[in-house]
Amino acid sequence: MQPKYIFMTGGVVSSLGKGLATASIGALLENRGLKISILKLDPYINVDPGTMNPFQHGEVYVTDDGAETDLDLGHYERFTHAKLTRKNNVTTGKIYDSVIQKERRGEYLGKTVQVIPHITDEIKSAILKVSKGVDLVMVEIGGTVGDIESLPFLEAIRQFKYDVGSQNVIYIHLTLVPFIHAAGEIKTKPTQHSVQKLREIGIQPDILLCRTQSDLSQDIKSKIAMFCNLDPDSVFTARDVSNIYEVPIALHEQGVDEKIAERLNIWTRQPDLVEWKQLIENIRHPVKEVNIAIVGKYVELTESYKSLNEALRHGGYAQRIQVNLKFFDSEKLNQKKLSKAFSEVDGILVPGGFGDRGIQGKIDAIQYARENQIPFFGICLGMQLACVEFARNVCGLAEANSREFDETCQVSLIDLMEEQKKFTHKGATMRLGAYPCTLEKNTLAQKVYQEREISERHRHRYEFNNAYRETLAEKGLVFSGLSPDKLLVEIIEYPSHPFFIACQFHPEFKSRPMYPHPIFSHFVESCALFQQKNLWKDQKKNSKNEAPQSTQSEPKNKN
Ligand code: GLN
């Protein structure tokens, strides 16, 4: 069957939420009964974002098949059921890499290799690769219209309409309609210019999504429609919402999905949004709040922890617990002042990370959580450091470290496996993607997952060094999740603590708003319990403090 295509472009400025808009439209159309696929085309030259600094790019999202991808793929997976693989994120680097390899193999038969048609053909073939077996393909073009780098992508999607038939393609443009305070007016000019730029390239948008602070009046929509050469019914407001999961409903209420179905001439049922509405209810009306400390390095740019932040919030939604994230820069944590820093937190999480900066602060935070019975959750580097902390402070192995931070360390508790030592290139050579893990009986891990065999996504180079397994186990650390051959440590826990668990994989990549990841929901639940216990303790303390006063005042009153 010939699939339909929606191409999503963005104009005026970046960060308008094109990824979220794409994911939300995907959710609506999937809900109407269509099988969808989503592709992100990124104009940068890196082959994938895996080698980029998180401060530059934000989170690197990992798919089951081990692709290191743009964080928008995280939105797509959280909002839809689309099955995403390495084919669903293509960069300029990947396109050129493949064209140059073909050229070296002599596949262009003596022709001059050019942007048009060779690069554009390669882009179009990337789109066709994700089109098999689905009703609809959504393609999001990264960057903003007008960028030099995105031109080959825009040219490819312009041509695509003529390859598959104009009845099978629509273009949606996300643009900004700002309110200028000095003039007291909404301004449509940036949108007009951005659409002009698109039309210069030969793309006439079919639908405009206008990011604004408040709903646009019919007059403004008509003005935009006239200048941008479309009908006023095709201009929609993408107004700011307080929570990202409100976007699908906000778009549906305006009829965006209906319009798309009409323009693509597809017969679909009305979407059933009961689950989405229930989710919004839970988010809007929490019965409790917990504060969770994230002790990391990339705290200035919280986009670096995108999936993690979402997974923590998901962990609270079904229980109607609002999760407040408190970011702590581990480099600035002062060991002597931890009780002050963490006085208001109900749980501590140490996320993944690379490099030795801020390591000691993370180890101190883990020690503080362990010794003060504060719920603790470590992810990837967080697990490695939880082992280092335990080895140093409980097992007396003062020299324990990870080979990542000290190449000559004597007690390399965390080390490179033989396989990793062979790699000379950094790109795409980590342990990446889904790996199976077997959970030990009668452990917190098994209680949390309610099963013995699980599969989780990885992105790391170093592993726990089995030479030290026994030493740590003797002091009470439990290795509760192992690879099926038992050689790789996947989960550790410390049963002499109310909730102390850490994993080598990244569970945050598999959490969904309606299907929270079990470790996250149990962690949030234990944070709420910790808070409750502390409240009781405080109440007890207060009533004890009050008691002598009342006995003192009693005789006085009697006198
Ligand atoms: N830097 C560590 C490693 O490569 C941990 C990676 C991570 O936290 N994702 O093993």
Side-chain angles (χ1 to χ4, degrees), residues 415-485:
D415 211 334
L416 283 182
M417 304 286 284
E418 284 310 310
E419 205 180 74
Q420 278 292 332
K421 290 183 188 158
K422 290 190 291 222
F423 293 125
T424 49
H425 283 41
K426 286 237 184 310
T429 52
M430 284 190 248
R431 176 148 85 106
L432 288 166
Y435 282 87
C437 165
T438 306
L439 305 180
E440 296 296 303
K441 273 195 205 144
N442 305 323
T443 56
L444 174 61
Q446 193 209 357
K447 182 180 150 213
V448 162
Y449 278 93
Q450 294 287 312
E451 48 192 332
R452 299 283 310 280
E453 304 299 328
I454 60 163
S455 165
E456 294 279 6
R457 298 182 193 173
H458 291 247
R459 182 173 185 252
H460 57 101
R461 232 175 261 290
Y462 296 82
E463 306 280 351
F464 182 83
N465 182 347
N466 289 328
Y468 298 99
R469 232 195 251 183
E470 246 180 71
T471 316
L472 271 64
E474 272 165 17
K475 292 286 184 189
L477 200 77
V478 170
F479 296 88
S480 53
L482 299 172
S483 57
D485 62 7

Side-chain angles (χ1 to χ4, degrees), residues 87-133:
K87 290 188 192 145
N88 297 76
N89 190 191
V90 171
T91 67
T92 296
K94 212 184 245 179
I95 295 287
Y96 272 80
D97 191 35
S98 140
V99 168
I100 290 169
Q101 282 182 38
K102 280 187 190 165
E103 185 273 333
R104 292 290 84 187
R105 289 197 296 268
E107 287 180 26
Y108 293 113
L109 306 175
K111 290 203 183 92
T112 309
V113 181
Q114 295 181 299
V115 173
I116 305 172
H118 302 103
I119 295 294
T120 45
D121 279 355
E122 196 67 30
I123 296 171
K124 290 194 287 182
S125 100
I127 300 172
L128 292 174
K129 277 187 195 142
V130 297
S131 305
K132 290 184 194 104

Side-chain angles (χ1 to χ4, degrees), residues 516-533:
H517 190 286
I519 310 188
F520 284 94
S521 29
H522 278 78
F523 177 51
V524 171
E525 190 187 2
S526 67
C527 294
L529 281 173
F530 174 82
Q531 184 191 66
Q532 212 161 26
K533 264 195 209 153

Side-chain angles (χ1 to χ4, degrees), residues 95 148 278 315 322 407 460 499 527 539 548:
I95 295 287
I148 293 176
Q278 182 59 53
Q322 180 178 314
E407 284 215 23
H460 57 101
F499 191 96
C527 294
Q539 269 171 8

Side-chain angles (χ1 to χ4, degrees), residues 351-355 379-382 384 404 430 459-463 504 506:
F354 295 84
I379 295 179
C380 207
L381 179 66
Q384 299 175 349
E404 183 178 5
M430 284 190 248
R459 182 173 185 252
H460 57 101
R461 232 175 261 290
Y462 296 82
E463 306 280 351
Q504 185 57 80
H506 288 272

Side-chain angles (χ1 to χ4, degrees), residues 491-508:
I491 309 181
I492 59 124
E493 56 192 71
Y494 187 47
S496 321
H497 183 286
F499 191 96
F500 190 100
I501 194 163
C503 51
Q504 185 57 80
F505 48 79
H506 288 272
E508 68 271 28

Side-chain angles (χ1 to χ4, degrees), residues 23-42:
S24 302
I25 292 175
L28 290 174
L29 295 172
E30 191 177 71
N31 221 296
R32 293 176 77 110
L34 298 177
K35 186 153 191 259
I36 68 162
S37 178
I38 315 185
L39 166 66
K40 174 84 194 281
L41 296 175
D42 275 312

